[in-house]
Amino acid sequence: MNRAISAIVKKDMWEITANRQLLLMIVIVPLVLTLVVPSIFLLSAHFAPQEMEELQELMGMLPEEMQNVETEELMVRLLMNHILPLFFLIIPIMAASVMAASSFVGEKEQSTLETLLYSPLTVRQLFHAKVLASFLFSMLVSGIAFLGMILVLGVEMYALTGVMLIPGISWILVLALLSPAVSLIAITLIVRGSAKAQSVMEAQQKAAFLILPVVFLIAGQFLGVMLLSVWILAGLSAVLAVLAWVLLRTSLAKFSGEMLLGNR
Amino acid sequence: MYAVEMNHLSKIYTGGKTAVADMSLMLEQGEVFGFLGPNGAGKTTTVKVLNGMLQSSEGKCMVFGEDPAREPEKVHAVSGVMTEHAQMYNHLTGLQNLIFYGAMFGIGEEESRKRARELLKQLELADAAGQKLSAYSTGMRQRLSIARALMHRPKILFLDEPTSGLDPESAYNVNQMILALAKEQGMTVFLCTHQLRYAQEICTRYGLIDEGKLLTVGTLEELRDGVSSGMSVQIRADRVPDALEDALRKRAVSDRCRNTEQTAGIREFTFEAASEEEIPHIVSQIVESGGKVYHVSASRPSLEDIYFALTAERRQQ
C-alpha cells in the first residue's frame, strides 16, 4: 500500500502549495525569522558603537569562556548558536500545524475524509500517511529555511568581517532531533484535536498555543536568564523526542473512523 | 458465499437514536438490491455499518465473507461506496481525482488514467475531465462519485441515492449503466433510494425499510403478493351482460377510477382480478353476448403502490 501512502503525501503537499494564503504564511514566517531578523542583528552589531554600557553589562552576564572574544564576534556567536536555533522550533511547529490542520480537519471540512476511509487502507495507515505528509513538509520547510539562512548570513558575515560563519554543534541537535520532535508533537496534538475541531481555523488557532513555550525560551535567551548549553539542549531534545513518540502512539490507539466522522 | 449477510443487526447512536433495528438480510452475488425507504429511515446508516464506518450496536454483518467491524479495509477492497458525504477534492480536476482514488486502491497511474477516461466517457463527463471539481454541478459531482466508486472494479457497489439531483436523462443513463454492470460483470449492487420508479426499473429484489425496521424483502412479485393477491383490470365495452356487470361492480377497485363512462351504452369498469387467467374469460363472455370490447388493460401494483400500502399499514399499527 506504499502507492496509496505516497499518493496521499503528494496530494497533501500539492494541496498546501496550491493554497496561496497558507503558502504565504509558511514562507513569510521563516523568511522573517531566519533572514530579516538575523540580518538586522548582524548589521547593528557591526555598525553600533562598541562601548555601549548596557551591552557591556549584558556581556558581563555571559559565561566566562565567552567573554574573551571581540564584542562583535561574541554577539554573532550568541545569535548564531543560542538564539537562531530556537527559531527552528517555531518554524517546524508553524509548518507542521498549518499542514496537519489543513490535511486532517480540512478533509473533514470538505467531506473528503469519508471517501478516504472507504479506501482499503487501515485507519492506522491513513493516520501514518497523514502524519508523514505533515512531518516531511515541516522538515522540508525547516531545511530550506536553514540552508537559506546559512547562505545569506554567511555572505553578509564574510562581507562585513571577513570571517566565515561556522554553525556550532547545537545546530546538529536542533535540526536532527529537536525540530523533528517538536514538529511531531505539534502534528499529533492537532490530529488529536481534529476529532473535535470542525474547521481548519479552529484547529490552527489551538496550535498557536504550542508556540508560547518556545517564545518564553527565546525571551529567556535574550535576557540571559538561561543560556542553553549544548547539554541542556540535548536533554531537552531527548525528552521532547520521547514525548512525541508517546503522544503519537497513544493518539494512534484512539484513532477510529467513527471517532473521526462523528455521528452523522 | 453471500454478497451481504446481516444477522439481527442494530445500530443505536450515542444519543439513543435507533437507526437500524434488528435487521436480518441476505444478498446473493449479482443481485441488484433496492433498499428503499424515506429519508432518515436508516439506509445510509446500514451502508456505513456494512462498510465499517460505524460499529454495529448489536448483531453481525459480513460483506463477501469479510467482517467490516473487524477488518473494514478488506471490505473496502471489494466494495465501491458512493454516499452523499463521501466527496472529492474541489481543487483537483475530475480526472486527477479519479487517478488519486485509483492510487488509494493501489492502481498504477497509467492504468488509473485509462480506467478514469473510460468511466468519464461512460458517465458523460469526458468533456469535464480537465475541469476542477469546484466547477462541477451537483449532477456532475454525483456522476463523478459513481465513477470513483467504480475505479477499482469492486464486486459490490453501494449506491446511496445515486440518481437524486440528476436530470431525467442522466438518471436514465446512470440506471442503464448500473444495470449493465450487474448483467455484464455480475456486480452486486446495493441501491439505497427513495426514488421508487428508478428502483423498479433496475432492481431484482427489494427491501423496504422505515424507521430502522425492515418491513419486507422480496422480488416485485413477492411484494405484490404480500399486499394484494390480484391485479387491477380495466375494461371498456358495450352490451355487457347484466349478470357480469353486477359481478364486476361488486369487485370494483374501491377508491380509484370507478365505472364512469355511460355514453351510448359503453361501460368502463376497473376491478380486481384474481389472476390474468380471468381476463380472456371475461372478454369472451362480453363478445359472445354480442358486445364490443374497446379497451382492456391489466396492471399490477407498482413498487410505489406497494410501498405506500406497507407504510400505511405500519402507521396504522
Side-chain angles (χ1 to χ4, degrees), chain A residues 165-216:
Chain A
L165 182 86
I166 296 153
I169 189 156
S170 55
W171 277 107
I172 299 172
L173 272 175
V174 166
L175 289 176
L177 203 58
L178 201 53
S179 280
V182 292
S183 110
L184 263 187
I185 290 174
I187 294 165
T188 330
L189 290 180
I190 294 243
V191 171
R192 281 166 86 112
S194 70
K196 285 185 195 135
Q198 287 304 326
S199 74
V200 175
M201 279 299 219
E202 195 184 326
Q204 278 169 353
Q205 279 161 2
K206 278 185 190 158
F209 287 108
L210 291 174
I211 296 184
L212 273 182
V214 184
V215 172
F216 290 136

Short mmCIF file of all heavy atoms in Angstrom, two decimals, chain A residues 165-216:
data_model
loop_
_atom_site.label_atom_id
_atom_site.label_comp_id
_atom_site.label_asym_id
_atom_site.label_seq_id
_atom_site.Cartn_x
_atom_site.Cartn_y
_atom_site.Cartn_z
N LEU A 165 31.34 31.92 8.50
CA LEU A 165 30.35 31.53 9.50
C LEU A 165 30.32 30.01 9.63
O LEU A 165 30.13 29.30 8.65
CB LEU A 165 28.98 32.04 9.05
CG LEU A 165 27.83 31.78 9.98
CD1 LEU A 165 27.74 32.90 11.00
CD2 LEU A 165 26.55 31.68 9.19
N ILE A 166 30.57 29.53 10.82
CA ILE A 166 30.50 28.07 11.00
C ILE A 166 29.49 27.75 12.10
O ILE A 166 29.65 28.17 13.24
CB ILE A 166 31.88 27.49 11.37
CG1 ILE A 166 32.83 27.72 10.19
CG2 ILE A 166 31.78 25.99 11.67
CD1 ILE A 166 34.26 27.81 10.60
N PRO A 167 28.42 27.05 11.72
CA PRO A 167 27.40 26.72 12.72
C PRO A 167 27.97 25.81 13.80
O PRO A 167 28.75 24.91 13.50
CB PRO A 167 26.33 26.00 11.91
CG PRO A 167 26.68 26.16 10.48
CD PRO A 167 28.13 26.48 10.40
N GLY A 168 27.58 26.05 15.05
CA GLY A 168 28.08 25.25 16.16
C GLY A 168 27.38 23.90 16.25
O GLY A 168 26.47 23.59 15.49
N ILE A 169 27.81 23.12 17.23
CA ILE A 169 27.31 21.76 17.39
C ILE A 169 25.82 21.74 17.76
O ILE A 169 25.09 20.80 17.46
CB ILE A 169 28.14 21.02 18.45
CG1 ILE A 169 27.75 19.54 18.46
CG2 ILE A 169 27.96 21.61 19.84
CD1 ILE A 169 28.84 18.67 19.00
N SER A 170 25.37 22.83 18.40
CA SER A 170 23.96 22.85 18.82
C SER A 170 23.03 22.74 17.60
O SER A 170 21.91 22.26 17.70
CB SER A 170 23.66 24.10 19.62
OG SER A 170 24.01 25.24 18.89
N TRP A 171 23.52 23.18 16.45
CA TRP A 171 22.70 23.11 15.25
C TRP A 171 22.34 21.69 14.86
O TRP A 171 21.23 21.41 14.41
CB TRP A 171 23.41 23.78 14.07
CG TRP A 171 23.20 25.25 14.11
CD1 TRP A 171 24.11 26.20 14.44
CD2 TRP A 171 21.98 25.93 13.83
NE1 TRP A 171 23.54 27.45 14.39
CE2 TRP A 171 22.23 27.30 14.02
CE3 TRP A 171 20.70 25.51 13.46
CZ2 TRP A 171 21.24 28.26 13.85
CZ3 TRP A 171 19.73 26.47 13.29
CH2 TRP A 171 20.00 27.83 13.48
N ILE A 172 23.31 20.80 15.02
CA ILE A 172 23.04 19.40 14.65
C ILE A 172 21.91 18.87 15.53
O ILE A 172 20.97 18.24 15.06
CB ILE A 172 24.31 18.55 14.83
CG1 ILE A 172 25.38 19.09 13.90
CG2 ILE A 172 24.03 17.08 14.54
CD1 ILE A 172 26.74 18.47 14.09
N LEU A 173 22.01 19.17 16.83
CA LEU A 173 20.99 18.73 17.77
C LEU A 173 19.63 19.29 17.40
O LEU A 173 18.62 18.59 17.39
CB LEU A 173 21.34 19.23 19.18
CG LEU A 173 22.23 18.31 20.00
CD1 LEU A 173 22.58 19.00 21.29
CD2 LEU A 173 21.50 17.00 20.28
N VAL A 174 19.62 20.59 17.10
CA VAL A 174 18.36 21.25 16.81
C VAL A 174 17.72 20.67 15.56
O VAL A 174 16.55 20.29 15.55
CB VAL A 174 18.56 22.77 16.66
CG1 VAL A 174 17.34 23.41 16.03
CG2 VAL A 174 18.84 23.39 18.02
N LEU A 175 18.52 20.57 14.50
CA LEU A 175 17.94 20.14 13.23
C LEU A 175 17.62 18.65 13.19
O LEU A 175 16.64 18.23 12.59
CB LEU A 175 18.88 20.49 12.07
CG LEU A 175 18.98 21.98 11.76
CD1 LEU A 175 20.00 22.21 10.66
CD2 LEU A 175 17.64 22.57 11.36
N ALA A 176 18.46 17.87 13.86
CA ALA A 176 18.27 16.43 13.76
C ALA A 176 17.32 15.87 14.81
O ALA A 176 16.72 14.82 14.61
CB ALA A 176 19.62 15.72 13.85
N LEU A 177 17.20 16.54 15.91
CA LEU A 177 16.41 15.96 17.00
C LEU A 177 15.28 16.88 17.47
O LEU A 177 14.11 16.48 17.53
CB LEU A 177 17.34 15.62 18.16
CG LEU A 177 16.85 14.55 19.12
CD1 LEU A 177 16.57 13.25 18.40
CD2 LEU A 177 17.88 14.31 20.23
N LEU A 178 15.64 18.11 17.81
CA LEU A 178 14.66 18.99 18.43
C LEU A 178 13.55 19.39 17.45
O LEU A 178 12.37 19.27 17.77
CB LEU A 178 15.39 20.24 18.96
CG LEU A 178 14.66 21.02 20.04
CD1 LEU A 178 14.25 20.14 21.19
CD2 LEU A 178 15.54 22.15 20.56
N SER A 179 13.95 19.85 16.27
CA SER A 179 12.94 20.25 15.27
C SER A 179 11.99 19.10 14.92
O SER A 179 10.78 19.28 14.98
CB SER A 179 13.61 20.72 13.98
OG SER A 179 14.05 22.02 14.13
N PRO A 180 12.53 17.91 14.59
CA PRO A 180 11.61 16.81 14.29
C PRO A 180 10.70 16.49 15.47
O PRO A 180 9.52 16.25 15.28
CB PRO A 180 12.54 15.63 13.99
CG PRO A 180 13.84 16.23 13.65
CD PRO A 180 13.93 17.53 14.36
N ALA A 181 11.26 16.52 16.67
CA ALA A 181 10.45 16.18 17.84
C ALA A 181 9.31 17.17 18.03
O ALA A 181 8.16 16.76 18.19
CB ALA A 181 11.32 16.11 19.10
N VAL A 182 9.61 18.46 18.01
CA VAL A 182 8.51 19.42 18.23
C VAL A 182 7.52 19.39 17.08
O VAL A 182 6.32 19.57 17.28
CB VAL A 182 8.99 20.88 18.44
CG1 VAL A 182 9.73 21.02 19.75
CG2 VAL A 182 9.79 21.39 17.30
N SER A 183 8.02 19.12 15.88
CA SER A 183 7.07 19.11 14.77
C SER A 183 6.13 17.91 14.91
O SER A 183 4.94 18.01 14.68
CB SER A 183 7.80 19.18 13.43
OG SER A 183 7.73 18.01 12.73
N LEU A 184 6.66 16.77 15.36
CA LEU A 184 5.80 15.60 15.59
C LEU A 184 4.77 15.86 16.69
O LEU A 184 3.62 15.47 16.59
CB LEU A 184 6.64 14.39 16.00
CG LEU A 184 6.99 13.40 14.89
CD1 LEU A 184 7.67 12.18 15.50
CD2 LEU A 184 5.74 12.97 14.13
N ILE A 185 5.24 16.54 17.76
CA ILE A 185 4.31 16.86 18.86
C ILE A 185 3.19 17.75 18.34
O ILE A 185 2.01 17.50 18.61
CB ILE A 185 5.05 17.55 20.02
CG1 ILE A 185 5.98 16.54 20.70
CG2 ILE A 185 4.06 18.12 21.03
CD1 ILE A 185 6.87 17.13 21.77
N ALA A 186 3.57 18.76 17.57
CA ALA A 186 2.55 19.67 17.04
C ALA A 186 1.54 18.91 16.18
O ALA A 186 0.33 19.06 16.33
CB ALA A 186 3.21 20.77 16.21
N ILE A 187 2.06 18.04 15.31
CA ILE A 187 1.17 17.28 14.42
C ILE A 187 0.22 16.42 15.24
O ILE A 187 -0.99 16.41 15.03
CB ILE A 187 1.98 16.39 13.46
CG1 ILE A 187 2.79 17.25 12.49
CG2 ILE A 187 1.08 15.46 12.68
CD1 ILE A 187 3.89 16.51 11.76
N THR A 188 0.79 15.70 16.21
CA THR A 188 -0.05 14.79 16.98
C THR A 188 -1.12 15.54 17.76
O THR A 188 -2.27 15.08 17.82
CB THR A 188 0.80 13.98 17.98
OG1 THR A 188 2.10 13.82 17.42
CG2 THR A 188 0.21 12.64 18.23
N LEU A 189 -0.76 16.67 18.34
CA LEU A 189 -1.76 17.43 19.10
C LEU A 189 -2.88 17.92 18.18
O LEU A 189 -4.05 17.87 18.53
CB LEU A 189 -1.11 18.61 19.83
CG LEU A 189 -0.21 18.19 21.00
CD1 LEU A 189 0.39 19.41 21.67
CD2 LEU A 189 -0.99 17.37 22.02
N ILE A 190 -2.48 18.36 17.00
CA ILE A 190 -3.51 18.83 16.06
C ILE A 190 -4.41 17.67 15.66
O ILE A 190 -5.63 17.79 15.60
CB ILE A 190 -2.84 19.39 14.79
CG1 ILE A 190 -2.07 20.63 15.14
CG2 ILE A 190 -3.89 19.63 13.70
CD1 ILE A 190 -2.53 21.87 14.51
N VAL A 191 -3.80 16.52 15.40
CA VAL A 191 -4.59 15.37 14.98
C VAL A 191 -5.54 14.94 16.09
O VAL A 191 -6.70 14.62 15.84
CB VAL A 191 -3.66 14.21 14.59
CG1 VAL A 191 -4.44 12.95 14.36
CG2 VAL A 191 -2.88 14.58 13.35
N ARG A 192 -5.05 14.98 17.31
CA ARG A 192 -5.92 14.63 18.45
C ARG A 192 -7.09 15.59 18.53
O ARG A 192 -8.21 15.20 18.84
CB ARG A 192 -5.15 14.68 19.76
CG ARG A 192 -4.29 13.46 19.98
CD ARG A 192 -3.33 13.71 21.09
NE ARG A 192 -3.94 13.42 22.38
CZ ARG A 192 -3.56 12.41 23.15
NH1 ARG A 192 -2.61 11.61 22.76
NH2 ARG A 192 -4.13 12.20 24.30
N GLY A 193 -6.79 16.86 18.29
CA GLY A 193 -7.85 17.86 18.35
C GLY A 193 -8.77 17.79 17.14
O GLY A 193 -9.89 18.28 17.18
N SER A 194 -8.30 17.15 16.07
CA SER A 194 -9.05 17.19 14.82
C SER A 194 -10.38 16.45 14.90
O SER A 194 -11.28 16.70 14.13
CB SER A 194 -8.23 16.64 13.66
OG SER A 194 -8.08 15.25 13.82
N ALA A 195 -10.51 15.55 15.86
CA ALA A 195 -11.77 14.83 16.00
C ALA A 195 -12.86 15.80 16.44
O ALA A 195 -14.02 15.67 16.05
CB ALA A 195 -11.64 13.72 17.02
N LYS A 196 -12.45 16.79 17.23
CA LYS A 196 -13.46 17.72 17.75
C LYS A 196 -13.58 18.97 16.88
O LYS A 196 -14.67 19.50 16.71
CB LYS A 196 -13.10 18.13 19.18
CG LYS A 196 -13.38 17.03 20.16
CD LYS A 196 -13.13 17.51 21.58
CE LYS A 196 -13.06 16.33 22.54
NZ LYS A 196 -11.93 16.46 23.45
N ALA A 197 -12.45 19.42 16.36
CA ALA A 197 -12.48 20.66 15.59
C ALA A 197 -13.31 20.48 14.33
O ALA A 197 -13.19 19.49 13.65
CB ALA A 197 -11.06 21.07 15.22
N GLN A 198 -14.15 21.47 14.08
CA GLN A 198 -14.99 21.38 12.88
C GLN A 198 -14.42 22.18 11.72
O GLN A 198 -14.81 22.00 10.59
CB GLN A 198 -16.41 21.85 13.20
CG GLN A 198 -17.21 20.87 14.03
CD GLN A 198 -17.30 19.48 13.41
OE1 GLN A 198 -17.35 19.33 12.20
NE2 GLN A 198 -17.29 18.45 14.25
N SER A 199 -13.48 23.10 12.02
CA SER A 199 -12.92 23.87 10.91
C SER A 199 -11.41 23.97 11.04
O SER A 199 -10.85 23.83 12.12
CB SER A 199 -13.54 25.27 10.88
OG SER A 199 -13.00 26.04 11.93
N VAL A 200 -10.78 24.21 9.91
CA VAL A 200 -9.32 24.32 9.86
C VAL A 200 -8.85 25.46 10.76
O VAL A 200 -7.87 25.35 11.49
CB VAL A 200 -8.86 24.55 8.41
CG1 VAL A 200 -7.37 24.79 8.36
CG2 VAL A 200 -9.23 23.37 7.55
N MET A 201 -9.58 26.56 10.70
CA MET A 201 -9.24 27.74 11.50
C MET A 201 -9.14 27.38 12.98
O MET A 201 -8.19 27.74 13.66
CB MET A 201 -10.34 28.81 11.33
CG MET A 201 -10.19 29.61 10.09
SD MET A 201 -8.63 30.46 10.12
CE MET A 201 -9.11 31.99 9.41
N GLU A 202 -10.17 26.67 13.46
CA GLU A 202 -10.24 26.31 14.86
C GLU A 202 -9.00 25.51 15.26
O GLU A 202 -8.37 25.77 16.28
CB GLU A 202 -11.51 25.49 15.07
CG GLU A 202 -11.93 25.32 16.51
CD GLU A 202 -13.14 24.40 16.60
OE1 GLU A 202 -13.99 24.42 15.68
OE2 GLU A 202 -13.20 23.65 17.59
N ALA A 203 -8.64 24.55 14.41
CA ALA A 203 -7.50 23.69 14.70
C ALA A 203 -6.21 24.50 14.71
O ALA A 203 -5.34 24.30 15.56
CB ALA A 203 -7.42 22.56 13.69
N GLN A 204 -6.10 25.44 13.78
CA GLN A 204 -4.87 26.24 13.71
C GLN A 204 -4.74 27.18 14.90
O GLN A 204 -3.65 27.42 15.41
CB GLN A 204 -4.84 27.03 12.40
CG GLN A 204 -4.36 26.17 11.26
CD GLN A 204 -4.55 26.83 9.92
OE1 GLN A 204 -5.16 27.88 9.81
NE2 GLN A 204 -4.04 26.19 8.89
N GLN A 205 -5.88 27.69 15.33
CA GLN A 205 -5.83 28.60 16.48
C GLN A 205 -5.34 27.87 17.72
O GLN A 205 -4.55 28.38 18.49
CB GLN A 205 -7.21 29.20 16.73
CG GLN A 205 -7.49 30.38 15.81
CD GLN A 205 -8.95 30.69 15.70
OE1 GLN A 205 -9.79 30.06 16.33
NE2 GLN A 205 -9.26 31.68 14.88
N LYS A 206 -5.82 26.64 17.86
CA LYS A 206 -5.37 25.84 19.01
C LYS A 206 -3.86 25.62 18.93
O LYS A 206 -3.15 25.67 19.93
CB LYS A 206 -6.09 24.50 19.03
CG LYS A 206 -7.46 24.59 19.65
CD LYS A 206 -8.07 23.21 19.76
CE LYS A 206 -9.53 23.31 20.16
NZ LYS A 206 -10.27 22.12 19.78
N ALA A 207 -3.38 25.39 17.71
CA ALA A 207 -1.97 25.08 17.53
C ALA A 207 -1.08 26.27 17.89
O ALA A 207 0.08 26.11 18.28
CB ALA A 207 -1.72 24.66 16.10
N ALA A 208 -1.63 27.47 17.78
CA ALA A 208 -0.84 28.66 18.06
C ALA A 208 -0.30 28.63 19.49
O ALA A 208 0.79 29.16 19.76
CB ALA A 208 -1.69 29.90 17.84
N PHE A 209 -1.03 27.98 20.39
CA PHE A 209 -0.59 27.92 21.79
C PHE A 209 0.72 27.14 21.94
O PHE A 209 1.45 27.33 22.89
CB PHE A 209 -1.67 27.29 22.67
CG PHE A 209 -2.82 28.19 22.89
CD1 PHE A 209 -4.04 27.96 22.27
CD2 PHE A 209 -2.69 29.33 23.70
CE1 PHE A 209 -5.11 28.81 22.46
CE2 PHE A 209 -3.76 30.18 23.89
CZ PHE A 209 -4.97 29.93 23.27
N LEU A 210 0.97 26.26 20.97
CA LEU A 210 2.19 25.45 21.04
C LEU A 210 3.43 26.32 20.98
O LEU A 210 4.49 25.96 21.48
CB LEU A 210 2.23 24.47 19.87
CG LEU A 210 1.20 23.35 19.93
CD1 LEU A 210 1.25 22.55 18.65
CD2 LEU A 210 1.49 22.47 21.12
N ILE A 211 3.29 27.46 20.33
CA ILE A 211 4.47 28.31 20.13
C ILE A 211 4.84 29.06 21.40
O ILE A 211 5.98 29.42 21.61
CB ILE A 211 4.22 29.26 18.93
CG1 ILE A 211 4.06 28.40 17.67
CG2 ILE A 211 5.34 30.24 18.74
CD1 ILE A 211 3.90 29.14 16.40
N LEU A 212 3.86 29.23 22.29
CA LEU A 212 4.09 30.01 23.51
C LEU A 212 5.33 29.59 24.32
O LEU A 212 6.18 30.43 24.62
CB LEU A 212 2.85 29.98 24.40
CG LEU A 212 1.81 31.08 24.09
CD1 LEU A 212 0.66 30.97 25.07
CD2 LEU A 212 2.46 32.46 24.17
N PRO A 213 5.45 28.30 24.68
CA PRO A 213 6.64 27.94 25.47
C PRO A 213 7.94 28.27 24.75
O PRO A 213 8.93 28.65 25.39
CB PRO A 213 6.50 26.43 25.67
CG PRO A 213 5.29 25.99 24.97
CD PRO A 213 4.54 27.17 24.49
N VAL A 214 7.93 28.15 23.43
CA VAL A 214 9.13 28.45 22.67
C VAL A 214 9.45 29.95 22.77
O VAL A 214 10.61 30.36 22.89
CB VAL A 214 8.97 28.05 21.19
CG1 VAL A 214 10.26 28.27 20.44
CG2 VAL A 214 8.52 26.61 21.09
N VAL A 215 8.40 30.76 22.74
CA VAL A 215 8.60 32.20 22.86
C VAL A 215 9.25 32.53 24.20
O VAL A 215 10.17 33.36 24.28
CB VAL A 215 7.25 32.94 22.69
CG1 VAL A 215 7.41 34.42 23.01
CG2 VAL A 215 6.72 32.76 21.28
N PHE A 216 8.81 31.86 25.26
CA PHE A 216 9.43 32.09 26.58
C PHE A 216 10.91 31.72 26.55
O PHE A 216 11.75 32.43 27.10
CB PHE A 216 8.71 31.28 27.67
CG PHE A 216 7.34 31.81 27.96
CD1 PHE A 216 6.26 30.95 28.10
CD2 PHE A 216 7.12 33.18 28.09
CE1 PHE A 216 4.98 31.44 28.34
CE2 PHE A 216 5.85 33.68 28.35
CZ PHE A 216 4.78 32.80 28.46
#
